[in-house]
Amino acid sequence: MKNFFFYTAFGRVVFAVSYTALLFASFFLITTPLFNSSDNAFCLYLLGGGFGNAPTELIYYNHLLHPFITIPVKELFLLNPDINWYSVVLILFHFLACSIILDRLLFRKSFQTGIIIYTLFFCVFESHLLLSLSFTSTSLILTISAIVVLLVSGVNKDMGLKNISMSVALLVCASLFRMYTVVPLVGIALPILLFILKKREIIFLGSALFAVLIIIAATNYMHREYYKYKIPNWEKGEQYRQLLYNFYNNENAYQGLDSTWLTEEMLLKDALIIDTNFLSTRKLLSMQNESHRTISQKVSDLQQDGVRWFVINNRIFVGCFVFLIFFCRLNRKYIIATMISSICLMGGIGLLYLFAKIPDYIFLSGLALLSLLIAAIRIEKPQRDLIYYPGLLGILFFMIWGAVRIYKENLKNLHNHLLFQQAATEVAKYPDNLFFVTDYTFPSDYISVFDTPRKYPLSNVVLSWHYSYSFSLQMLKRFGVNDIKELPYSHKILLWGKPVKELTDYFFKTAQIKLEYSLPLPLFKYGEVRKFIIDQ
């Protein structure tokens, strides 16, 4: 049986799929993965028919969740709204990518070591991605699998049409989930690929990446044109949205602003984009031009405490990466290539810190990719000496550490999911009221990947306005509020969240309405809910 798996391509595929299915089934049986992302929750509710609307494939973003993905998902929700088809698709592509990774590791002709390294990868890296399932993590794992295919085929001098096509297809699929995650991972892997591959394979690699670039550009053009056709004034709305994201994705965006911008600044921070005339494009550009912060200020803000917590939160990933460098016994050439790739990773993180903000996924996915590439390089002929067998104990240690981490993170997921269930159940008891969320305290991020919009419709909740101003305005109109200035006068409107002073300042500045917040209403147990009180 082992020889069947070991020597035949079909056997490897069967084993890779079966073993991955076993790991995935075990993982989902004992854990409660959440989205842990407001973006993914918003996309789920659009695709699945939440917020009191019919399912739609239009999720407004032009750089993620391509209609090639969202149209089938929407149709599946129409067929059966009791299954979370969005999660099903994300999990299936995770499963596909992981099966390919195991198949490529087994192809390196070390059956036992391939399984061990793959199980280590799953316990430390992939399980972390699955516990917070998202379009981003799906794009990341597809990109990682594509690069592993490229490396293994190059090292084995088998970079033919089949392997090139597989890599191109995986990278294009990754871009359909999220386009901008592909570039940094390819950039991190390039030094290793260029060091290891021969001239012929480098030409094939360049051709493959060029083909990927052309296809991604074409699919993104189709994406944009589809939205232009389907969504009135989408292009104008997208330009405004990208301007908003310049603030959300840049920690320096509010630095140095004059106090006269305080109302606008706080409305932006709480995603209360309730009036695009008040928060106009001209104002946003003026705020952007006035904000400033020097690099020296950013460096001085890098407190020792912050570095310490960064290391603590990522120590299992760093430890696993460093351990594999020693376990796989890299020669000098491979160590140099790995170090250059590591410098690219850390340099990219440094630039993001100085000029924007550091996404959580960059460091994790970069180390996951480098760990797999290290293993794939040296897995063919492991040196079974006195260091090899104690090294297996080291792998067991990291597997156990990964399992303990999964357990602790899952406890947090269980607690957070309960918060979502309580909040969603509470607002459902008051279908005649519209809950206007004034900050980020409504726990929509914590919906389970197995929950559906049909179970928790949130048809009377207005969440962050930065996704789509027109979409949020439509929800107000369903409750008889045709203009944002009418909001304080409606008895149907309840405010969920902390009292945001700048919201009342806005109404005074634009409509000369003096407002106060009521005390938290005692009817509501699971969130601070208030009303507006008009000061006569």
Side-chain angles (χ1 to χ4, degrees):
M1 182 62 68
K2 177 179 174 181
N3 289 340
F4 170 71
F5 292 134
F6 190 55
Y7 290 113
T8 69
F10 180 72
R12 282 197 317 273
V13 171
V14 170
F15 181 82
V17 170
S18 301
Y19 188 66
T20 301
L22 176 64
L23 290 180
F24 270 61
S26 302
F27 178 85
F28 285 111
L29 280 173
I30 63 176
T31 63
T32 304
L34 307 182
F35 287 113
N36 284 320
S37 158
S38 58
D39 288 345
N40 280 272
F42 180 72
C43 292
L44 166 65
Y45 270 77
L46 290 180
L47 293 166
F51 302 129
N53 296 308
T56 178
E57 76 277 18
L58 306 172
I59 53 97
Y60 297 96
Y61 298 102
N62 79 314
H63 59 277
L64 53 86
L65 290 181
H66 195 281
F68 287 165
I69 294 169
T70 59
I71 291 174
V73 172
K74 179 201 75 172
E75 294 300 326
L76 288 168
F77 269 114
L78 289 172
L79 284 174
N80 187 349
D82 293 317
I83 295 175
N84 189 332
W85 294 107
Y86 176 56
S87 296
V88 169
V89 169
L90 297 182
I91 292 168
L92 281 176
F93 276 94
H94 267 269
F95 178 79
L96 170 67
C98 287
S99 298
I100 290 172
I101 288 170
L102 177 54
D103 174 71
R104 293 297 84 190
L105 291 178
L106 295 175
F107 183 71
R108 293 290 288 144
K109 300 188 173 87
S110 180
F111 187 82
Q112 175 185 330
T113 313
I115 297 170
I116 292 171
I117 294 293
Y118 176 74
T119 307
L120 173 65
F121 165 77
F122 186 90
C123 290
V124 174
F125 295 103
E126 173 63 8
S127 60
H128 185 79
L129 296 177
L130 289 175
L131 271 177
S132 297
L133 191 66
S134 67
F135 51 72
T136 299
S137 67
T138 307
S139 178
L140 291 171
I141 194 64
L142 285 167
T143 304
I144 289 171
S145 66
I147 296 171
V148 169
V149 170
L150 282 172
L151 177 80
V152 172
S153 59
V155 170
N156 283 275
K157 297 180 176 56
D158 187 30
M159 199 174 273
L161 182 61
K162 183 181 76 171
N163 288 322
I164 289 289
S165 299
M166 184 188 301
S167 299
V168 169
L170 288 168
L171 288 172
V172 171
C173 282
S175 74
L176 297 181
F177 284 97
R178 187 169 187 176
M179 191 166 62
Y180 297 137
T181 55
V182 175
V183 176
L185 287 182
V186 171
I188 291 166
L190 271 179
I192 291 180
L193 292 171
L194 294 176
F195 260 78
I196 291 172
L197 302 181
K198 303 298 182 183
K199 183 177 179 180
R200 178 175 174 272
E201 281 77 27
I202 290 175
I203 293 172
F204 283 139
L205 172 65
S207 301
L209 295 180
F210 182 73
V212 169
L213 182 65
I214 296 298
I215 296 171
I216 289 177
T219 55
N220 184 248
Y221 175 78
M222 295 166 63
H223 193 164
R224 295 176 66 87
E225 291 301 310
Y226 186 77
Y227 276 11
K228 287 180 189 178
Y229 177 72
K230 286 285 189 176
I231 304 175
N233 299 315
W234 173 82
E235 195 165 24
K236 184 178 179 182
E238 177 64 10
Q239 291 172 354
Y240 184 79
R241 230 176 346 263
Q242 291 306 315
L243 193 55
L244 291 177
Y245 276 96
N246 287 338
F247 287 88
Y248 298 138
N249 294 332
N250 189 342
E251 294 176 348
N252 306 325
Y254 305 103
Q255 298 299 321
L257 286 177
D258 190 87
S259 59
T260 55
W261 294 114
L262 183 59
T263 301
E264 288 84 352
E265 178 184 338
M266 296 309 298
L267 290 177
L268 279 171
K269 286 183 175 179
D270 287 314
L272 291 171
I273 319 301
I274 56 176
D275 186 344
T276 54
N277 291 318
F278 183 75
L279 286 170
S280 64
T281 299
R282 181 183 59 80
K283 278 189 177 182
L284 294 179
L285 289 172
S286 296
M287 292 172 68
Q288 196 174 61
N289 292 333
E290 288 184 23
S291 65
H292 63 274
R293 196 180 195 193
T294 65
I295 292 178
S296 60
Q297 287 175 312
K298 284 287 286 185
V299 173
S300 66
D301 286 347
L302 188 60
Q303 302 291 334
Q304 188 175 355
D305 229 25
V307 174
R308 183 170 65 87
W309 280 111
F310 180 82
V311 172
I312 289 173
N313 290 333
N314 293 283
R315 57 190 171 180
I316 185 174
F317 310 125
V318 176
C320 185
F321 166 65
V322 173
F323 168 78
L324 283 173
I325 291 177
F326 291 99
F327 177 74
C328 295
R329 309 292 294 276
L330 298 183
N331 62 30
R332 183 179 177 183
K333 175 183 175 181
Y334 296 150
I335 289 176
I336 292 173
T338 303
M339 293 307 297
I340 294 174
S341 286
S342 302
I343 290 169
C344 289
L345 172 60
M346 295 309 299
I349 289 175
L351 289 173
L352 286 170
Y353 173 76
L354 291 175
F355 300 107
K357 73 174 184 179
I358 305 173
D360 296 337
Y361 59 81
I362 288 290
F363 192 65
L364 164 67
S365 60
L367 288 180
L369 172 62
L370 292 178
S371 297
L372 280 174
L373 295 185
I374 290 169
I377 291 169
R378 295 294 292 172
I379 205 171
E380 185 175 5
K381 294 179 180 178
Q383 298 182 25
R384 302 197 175 208
D385 52 17
L386 294 176
I387 297 178
Y388 177 79
Y389 292 102
L392 295 180
L393 293 177
I395 288 178
L396 181 62
F397 168 76
F398 279 104
M399 286 182 184
I400 294 173
W401 190 359
V404 171
R405 186 182 174 101
I406 292 169
Y407 173 75
K408 290 181 177 179
E409 289 186 7
N410 190 59
L411 288 179
K412 188 188 300 183
N413 275 6
L414 288 170
H415 171 73
N416 289 339
H417 184 230
L418 180 61
L419 295 179
F420 168 77
Q421 290 176 310
Q422 291 170 336
T425 302
E426 189 156 67
V427 297
K429 294 177 182 177
Y430 302 91
D432 296 328
N433 291 108
L434 179 65
F435 291 84
F436 185 97
V437 180
T438 60
D439 55 14
Y440 292 101
T441 56
F442 192 89
S444 60
D445 304 23
Y446 303 141
I447 183 171
S448 165
V449 300
F450 303 118
D451 291 334
T452 63
R454 182 169 185 172
K455 185 176 181 181
Y456 301 106
L458 301 185
S459 55
N460 58 337
V461 179
V462 177
L463 296 169
S464 302
W465 287 65
H466 63 281
Y467 297 118
S468 171
Y469 173 77
S470 59
F471 178 83
S472 298
L473 205 57
Q474 287 172 12
M475 293 194 70
L476 291 184
K477 290 179 178 179
R478 287 213 318 265
F479 286 82
V481 179
N482 296 314
D483 187 276
I484 194 67
K485 306 292 194 310
E486 300 174 11
L487 190 76
Y489 298 105
S490 175
H491 66 279
K492 294 182 178 181
I493 303 297
L494 296 175
L495 308 170
W496 182 291
K498 301 288 183 184
V500 177
K501 177 181 179 298
E502 286 69 27
L503 186 58
T504 57
D505 290 344
Y506 159 78
F507 284 107
F508 181 73
K509 287 182 177 182
T510 59
Q512 288 72 54
I513 306 172
K514 291 185 178 181
L515 295 172
E516 295 179 359
Y517 289 95
S518 72
L519 293 173
L521 303 179
L523 285 174
F524 299 93
K525 297 181 185 178
Y526 304 115
E528 288 188 28
V529 179
R530 294 174 167 82
K531 288 183 176 182
F532 274 137
I533 299 173
I534 300 177
D535 186 357
Q536 302 293 344

